[in-house]
């Protein structure tokens, strides 16, 4: 089993070597590092990068050197990958960066909608029903654009909004069918993401959404979205349970030399 979605100290996670040791202890066959990266030239995105202090476009070559060293000491596969913020306005910059950086594989994520990260509950607590409906509609518009762009091997946490209590209950089966049809026509593959199964019992995609994707014969990759070594270990068991429950054979065929 390969965990294809984890973070290290090259974004908001713990040291690379500690994450690799945890993957070995968990009995994984491989771990992929998908540190956050945003290459938007827009002013708001530049401010956000300055506030966070990390961005893989500046450090991926250094991380690649570290991954090469870790590969020499480890029996498991270690992948040099990325989780890119996607916004349809940034497609040219994303394409140019991915082509130059040449990662083992790429994940694309819609994190921000209309200038706000959809995981920040406080940003939506005072919004009206109409405003929340618009945010959720725009989120799925961006997700479908991500899938249709085919810029990425994997689309992350397809129903990320479900993490955010004020935005729950707005996504409909119509949204899910639209996304599933886009996946069915794209090389981009959705992931099963267990990053929130322990804290708030949310599996991405949720049960109904998974069934709709399966109706469209869409394959899946798997990822724990771990930021800490203890999460890698705990979530490896959860990933295994989910694969078993849904009888899913995760795909890794898009990774060169896997
Ligand atoms: Zn993400
Ligand atoms: Zn992530």
């Amino acid at each position: 089993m390969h965990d294809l979605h984890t973070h290290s100290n090259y974004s908001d996670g713990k040291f690379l070597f500690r994450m690799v040791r945890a993957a070995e202890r968990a009995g994984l066959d491989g771990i992929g590092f998908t540190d956050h990266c945003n290459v938007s030239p827009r002013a708001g995105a530049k401010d956000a990068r300055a506030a966070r202090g990390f961005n893989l476009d500046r450090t991926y070559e250094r991380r690649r050197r570290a991954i090469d060293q870790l590969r020499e000491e480890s029996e498991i596969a270690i992948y040099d990958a990325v989780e890119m913020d996607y916004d349809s306005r940034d497609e040219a910059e994303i394409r140019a960066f991915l082509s130059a950086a040449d990662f083992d594989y790429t994940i694309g994520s819609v994190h921000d909608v209309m200038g706000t990260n959809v995981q920040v509950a406080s940003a939506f607590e005072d919004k009206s029903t109409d405003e929340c409906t618009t945010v959720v509609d725009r989120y799925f518009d961006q997700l479908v654009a991500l899938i249709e762009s085919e810029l990425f091997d994997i689309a992350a946490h397809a129903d990320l909004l479900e993490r955010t209590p004020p935005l729950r209950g707005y996504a409909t089966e119509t949204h899910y069918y639209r996304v599933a049809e886009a996946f069915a026509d794209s090389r981009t593959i959705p992931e099963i993401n267990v990053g929130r199964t322990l804290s708030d019992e949310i599996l991405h995609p949720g049960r109904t959404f998974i069934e709709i994707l399966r109706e469209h014969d869409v394959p899946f990759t798997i990822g724990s979205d771990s930021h800490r070594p203890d999460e890698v270990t705990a979530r490896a068991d959860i990933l295994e349970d989910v694969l078993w429950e849904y009888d899913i054979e995760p795909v890794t065929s898009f990774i060169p030399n896997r």
Side-chain angles (χ1 to χ4, degrees), residues 131-202:
E131 286 169 317
C132 290
T133 304
T134 305
V135 168
V136 172
D137 284 343
R138 290 296 88 75
Y139 171 84
F140 284 106
D141 287 345
Q142 284 291 323
L143 178 61
V144 167
L146 180 159
I147 298 162
E148 289 178 345
S149 77
E150 298 196 310
L151 282 166
F152 311 101
D153 298 298
I154 301 168
H157 40 60
D159 53 359
L160 184 66
L161 314 139
E162 297 301 318
R163 286 187 190 184
T164 312
L167 295 177
R168 276 185 206 147
Y170 286 93
T172 63
E173 290 197 12
T174 310
H175 291 120
Y176 297 159
Y177 273 100
R178 201 176 146 220
V179 171
E181 282 158 21
F183 274 125
D185 289 338
S186 174
R187 76 170 189 96
T188 302
I189 299 171
E191 65 164 5
I192 304 270
N193 180 311
V194 301
R196 291 295 176 97
T197 45
L198 277 179
S199 55
D200 42 18
E201 296 188 0
I202 293 172

Side-chain angles (χ1 to χ4, degrees), residues 5 36 83 109 111 156-157 225:
H5 186 155
H36 291 289
E83 179 178 7
S109 295
H111 291 124
H157 40 60
D225 214 343

Side-chain angles (χ1 to χ4, degrees), residues 8-249:
S8 78
N9 57 317
Y10 280 83
S11 60
D12 51 354
K14 296 293 183 192
F15 284 124
L16 273 175
F17 74 93
R18 292 188 56 209
M19 299 295 280
V20 170
R21 295 292 97 84
E24 291 166 345
R25 279 198 303 277
L28 290 168
D29 302 306
I31 181 167
F33 289 103
T34 53
D35 283 301
H36 291 289
C37 190
N38 178 302
V39 293
S40 170
R42 285 170 293 112
K46 285 185 176 171
D47 291 345
R49 293 203 286 275
R52 283 200 298 257
F54 58 78
N55 201 49
L56 198 63
D57 67 333
R58 301 293 181 93
T59 57
Y60 75 90
E61 286 165 309
R62 203 170 356 138
R63 195 191 67 171
R64 191 160 289 170
R65 211 150 51 230
I67 288 176
D68 281 341
Q69 285 170 22
L70 288 166
R71 281 171 174 158
E72 295 193 0
E73 315 158 354
S74 186
E75 299 287 301
I76 68 169
I78 305 170
Y79 302 118
D80 175 12
V82 65
E83 179 178 7
M84 290 287 299
D85 285 338
Y86 174 85
D87 184 303
S88 53
R89 292 169 293 181
D90 304 330
E91 283 191 6
E93 288 81 7
I94 293 170
R95 181 171 283 113
F97 171 69
L98 292 179
S99 153
D102 193 24
F103 292 105
D104 289 335
Y105 64 87
T106 59
I107 296 183
S109 295
V110 178
H111 291 124
D112 287 14
V113 174
M114 299 157 74
T116 306
N117 189 312
V118 295
Q119 297 171 89
V120 180
S122 58
F124 304 101
E125 269 156 10
D126 299 328
K127 296 258 189 274
S128 69
T129 304
D130 279 358
E131 286 169 317
C132 290
T133 304
T134 305
V135 168
V136 172
D137 284 343
R138 290 296 88 75
Y139 171 84
F140 284 106
D141 287 345
Q142 284 291 323
L143 178 61
V144 167
L146 180 159
I147 298 162
E148 289 178 345
S149 77
E150 298 196 310
L151 282 166
F152 311 101
D153 298 298
I154 301 168
H157 40 60
D159 53 359
L160 184 66
L161 314 139
E162 297 301 318
R163 286 187 190 184
T164 312
L167 295 177
R168 276 185 206 147
Y170 286 93
T172 63
E173 290 197 12
T174 310
H175 291 120
Y176 297 159
Y177 273 100
R178 201 176 146 220
V179 171
E181 282 158 21
F183 274 125
D185 289 338
S186 174
R187 76 170 189 96
T188 302
I189 299 171
E191 65 164 5
I192 304 270
N193 180 311
V194 301
R196 291 295 176 97
T197 45
L198 277 179
S199 55
D200 42 18
E201 296 188 0
I202 293 172
L203 176 69
H204 298 293
R207 197 166 287 271
T208 309
F209 202 172
I210 289 185
E211 291 307 333
I212 291 171
L213 290 163
R214 284 159 66 92
E215 274 175 35
H216 289 74
D217 292 322
V218 170
F220 295 93
T221 70
I222 51 167
S224 68
D225 214 343
S226 294
H227 292 70
R228 301 198 317 256
D230 59 314
E231 293 172 343
V232 174
T233 318
R235 294 174 187 172
D237 291 338
I238 301 170
L239 280 172
E240 205 152 26
D241 289 348
V242 172
L243 294 181
W244 178 259
E245 183 188 344
Y246 288 92
D247 192 22
I248 286 169
E249 185 69 53

